[in-house]
Amino acid sequence: MVRLDRESWEQIFAHAREDYPAECCGIVTEHDNGRYRVHRCDNIQDRLHQRDPEAHPRTSRTAYRMDDMQVHRILRETEEAAGRVVAFYHSHIDCDAYFSEEDRNAAMFLGEPAYPGVVYLVVSVVDGEVRGQKGFGWDEGAGEWKVWCENERRVERWL
């Protein structure tokens, strides 16, 4: 079971509020058995949209794309410190927290979860204020993504 501490949730919520009306995104890592670190990532969706609006029709208001170099650095530093990734997070703007089809597809690689055992947190931000959050995880038995927690500050893993 992963229990994010209050400080980590507050950092995620602050990030979501600060980036509004753009979606925020980031990674949560665990170090030293229960010490969590929230890593903010740049949402490069607007840059992609500006460069090629046909290939990337959505803006940061309705989509996110983490900077690959930031993700690589965070994963490398976490591994070097004997830590582990426990969650990816992003916000949804002026709507509920849900795991969209695009979110599901991005979390998969060759029909399997890209990061087994990792939770995907989605934060709802309406009019600049956090209105709720949900955690989603892969249910191995059912072979699908399911809600693990809703508007709670704990995230349970099905491992």
Side-chain angles (χ1 to χ4, degrees), residues 1-4 9 36 84 86 117-121 134-139 146-150 152-159:
M1 180 179 304
V2 175
R3 289 189 184 270
L4 292 184
W9 279 113
Y36 298 103
R84 66 185 180 126
V86 295
V118 171
V119 176
Y120 291 81
L121 306 173
K134 290 182 183 175
F136 300 86
W138 182 254
D139 182 336
K146 293 206 174 174
V147 175
W148 284 2
C149 68
E150 184 172 355
E152 297 177 12
R153 301 218 172 190
R154 70 178 156 79
V155 178
E156 297 179 6
R157 299 172 141 235
W158 293 330
L159 296 177

Side-chain angles (χ1 to χ4, degrees), residues 61-78:
R61 185 169 175 79
T62 60
Y64 77 97
R65 170 68 189 262
M66 291 185 190
D67 181 291
D68 292 334
M69 295 307 294
Q70 282 182 315
V71 171
H72 175 72
R73 179 186 50 77
I74 292 164
L75 297 179
R76 186 187 75 241
E77 289 173 358
T78 299

Side-chain angles (χ1 to χ4, degrees), residues 16-29:
R17 285 190 302 268
E18 289 167 21
D19 280 12
Y20 179 88
E23 290 190 6
C24 75
C25 53
I27 301 171
V28 181
T29 58

Side-chain angles (χ1 to χ4, degrees), residues 55-115:
H56 303 280
R58 296 168 64 192
T59 67
S60 65
R61 185 169 175 79
T62 60
Y64 77 97
R65 170 68 189 262
M66 291 185 190
D67 181 291
D68 292 334
M69 295 307 294
Q70 282 182 315
V71 171
H72 175 72
R73 179 186 50 77
I74 292 164
L75 297 179
R76 186 187 75 241
E77 289 173 358
T78 299
E79 183 177 324
E80 289 171 357
R84 66 185 180 126
V85 173
V86 295
F88 289 95
Y89 72 88
H90 72 281
S91 58
H92 281 182
I93 303 305
D94 296 327
C95 63
D96 291 333
Y98 63 97
F99 208 46
S100 70
E101 189 66 30
E102 186 168 328
D103 295 338
R104 293 169 196 265
N105 291 338
M108 300 294 283
F109 182 74
L110 298 176
E112 297 290 328
Y115 295 90

